[in-house]
Amino acid sequence: MTSSNIQQPDESVRAELTALRDSIDNIDAAVVHMLAERFKCTQRVGRLKADHQLPPADPAREARQIARLRELAKDAKLDPAFAEKLLNFIIAEVIRHHEQIAGAGRQQNS
């Protein structure tokens, strides 16, 4: 099938598609801004941990957060496994930041 054989949607379908895509774009922007705010907070946590020689990772808290997020996902009709994967990705990035902050602190104290 060539592109010339594909039927073009009528104007109402195109308008609905545009409106939905605009909503998706707005949601994506909100997600990025929320993640930026989250990482601002976790950077502060990382500095606090480094200042007090606490480990970059907190497995017990991470486990609680994963369980909490899975429940929230279920309530929101979102796949809990997807929510867990997303949180694990974020947690790995946070730990990486905390390790960098701790390493920078050790270098300053040397």
Side-chain angles (χ1 to χ4, degrees):
M1 180 181 268
T2 65
S3 60
S4 61
N5 293 343
I6 297 174
Q7 182 180 2
Q8 295 299 314
D10 65 34
E11 188 57 37
S12 66
V13 172
R14 276 195 297 260
E16 184 176 3
L17 186 58
T18 297
L20 289 168
R21 286 177 172 165
D22 287 347
S23 291
I24 290 167
D25 292 350
N26 289 337
I27 293 165
D28 287 347
V31 167
V32 167
H33 288 283
M34 293 298 295
L35 283 171
E37 285 301 310
R38 188 185 195 289
F39 279 103
K40 285 177 190 174
C41 290
T42 60
Q43 291 288 333
R44 290 173 56 198
V45 168
R47 284 191 294 277
L48 189 61
K49 285 180 171 185
D51 290 347
H52 296 278
Q53 292 82 43
L54 298 170
D58 185 344
R61 169 151 169 84
E62 293 159 20
R64 288 191 307 273
Q65 285 297 95
I66 289 168
R68 179 178 159 271
L69 202 70
R70 286 184 67 90
E71 283 302 313
L72 289 170
K74 266 195 276 187
D75 293 345
K77 307 292 189 252
L78 180 68
D79 179 6
F82 170 77
E84 183 174 346
K85 287 178 193 174
L86 177 61
L87 186 60
N88 280 328
F89 178 78
I90 292 169
I91 288 169
E93 187 67 8
V94 168
I95 292 169
R96 188 179 70 78
H97 291 173
H98 289 184
E99 289 169 345
Q100 288 176 336
I101 292 167
R106 283 191 296 272
Q107 287 177 346
Q108 288 177 352
N109 294 331
S110 297

